[in-house]
Amino acid sequence: MDQKPSQATTTGTPSSTPRTSGTACGRCGATAQGLPLTWTCSVENGRRVYFCDTCAREHLRSIEGRLDSAWW
């Protein structure tokens, strides 16, 4: 019962330590150093997916409606 969930790296693959050197957008593939404060994070199928400013703005209604990115 005291199991810790595995942390996901910025690319969405499980790892014991998160990687913070770069982040890639799950939609368009744009990259940024570190984890930009203006990017959106979504948990889909148990993994973290990050979206850049442009993709997040374009699909804001779908994100707020909690639709998986596969639908938009």
Side-chain angles (χ1 to χ4, degrees), residues 9-63:
T9 63
T10 56
T11 57
T13 56
S15 175
S16 59
T17 57
R19 188 179 67 197
T20 57
S21 62
T23 305
C25 176
R27 184 88 178 145
C28 70
T31 58
Q33 288 292 345
L35 183 59
L37 295 175
T38 56
W39 283 35
T40 302
C41 176
S42 175
V43 177
E44 298 179 5
N45 297 324
R47 65 182 186 102
R48 289 184 181 183
V49 181
Y50 295 93
F51 300 103
C52 67
D53 301 346
T54 305
C55 292
R57 284 187 196 120
E58 186 175 332
H59 301 287
L60 181 63
R61 294 184 79 134
S62 298
I63 293 169

